[in-house]
Amino acid sequence: QVQLVESGGGLVQAGGSLRLSCEASGRTVNYVMGWFRQAPGKERDSVAAVTWVGLTYYAESVKGRFTISRDNAKNTVYLQMNNLKPEDTAVYYCARRFRGGRTWSDAADFDSWGQGTQVTVSS
């Protein structure tokens, strides 16, 4: 099991930047870690994911603007968000994928979740 705690959310104007952090307490070795987001009235959608060795996946909507990374020594995953848009407004969740998970982006393949951090982008 792993406990995940997100931080770094807040209010930002369109075009601005935020960096989210996800600190893990527990095992993340050899696990894919991901970021998801959920806007009001919407389903939870994948944002990005990263493997233990740094291979990455990005949703098309954030490619070129967001960067996922991890510091394995600190057991921490980051999401650098640049050129934020109002449509990025959502609660952002950090998650750990099942060892046998098959996808980058299906929330059902992730077994541990943080409580989320709110990101609000104003126009």
Side-chain angles (χ1 to χ4, degrees):
Q1 297 184 15
V2 63
Q3 293 181 341
L4 306 173
V5 179
E6 302 97 335
S7 63
L11 300 172
V12 65
Q13 293 183 354
S17 298
L18 287 172
R19 188 175 80 156
L20 306 183
S21 297
C22 171
E23 297 185 357
S25 178
R27 186 168 65 181
T28 61
V29 176
N30 298 132
Y31 282 84
V32 171
M33 302 293 295
W35 287 96
F36 291 75
R37 65 188 182 187
Q38 188 166 20
K42 303 293 185 180
E43 297 296 319
R44 187 174 298 178
D45 290 328
S46 174
V47 176
V50 60
T51 73
W52 175 253
V53 297
L55 298 177
T56 57
Y57 156 86
Y58 296 96
E60 289 297 324
S61 60
V62 307
K63 195 172 295 182
R65 298 189 298 121
F66 291 10
T67 302
I68 189 170
S69 62
R70 67 196 296 170
D71 185 334
N72 291 333
K74 295 182 178 180
N75 216 16
T76 301
V77 183
Y78 304 97
L79 185 68
Q80 178 67 47
M81 305 186 294
N82 297 326
N83 192 24
L84 283 160
K85 303 175 180 179
E87 52 263 44
D88 295 318
T89 295
V91 177
Y92 283 70
Y93 298 91
C94 178
R96 187 188 73 176
R97 199 175 72 176
F98 283 103
R99 203 68 166 88
R102 298 294 186 89
T103 74
W104 293 104
S105 58
D106 189 348
D109 284 337
F110 290 75
D111 65 344
S112 296
W113 296 82
Q115 295 185 51
T117 185
Q118 177 71 48
V119 172
T120 302
V121 184
S122 65
S123 60

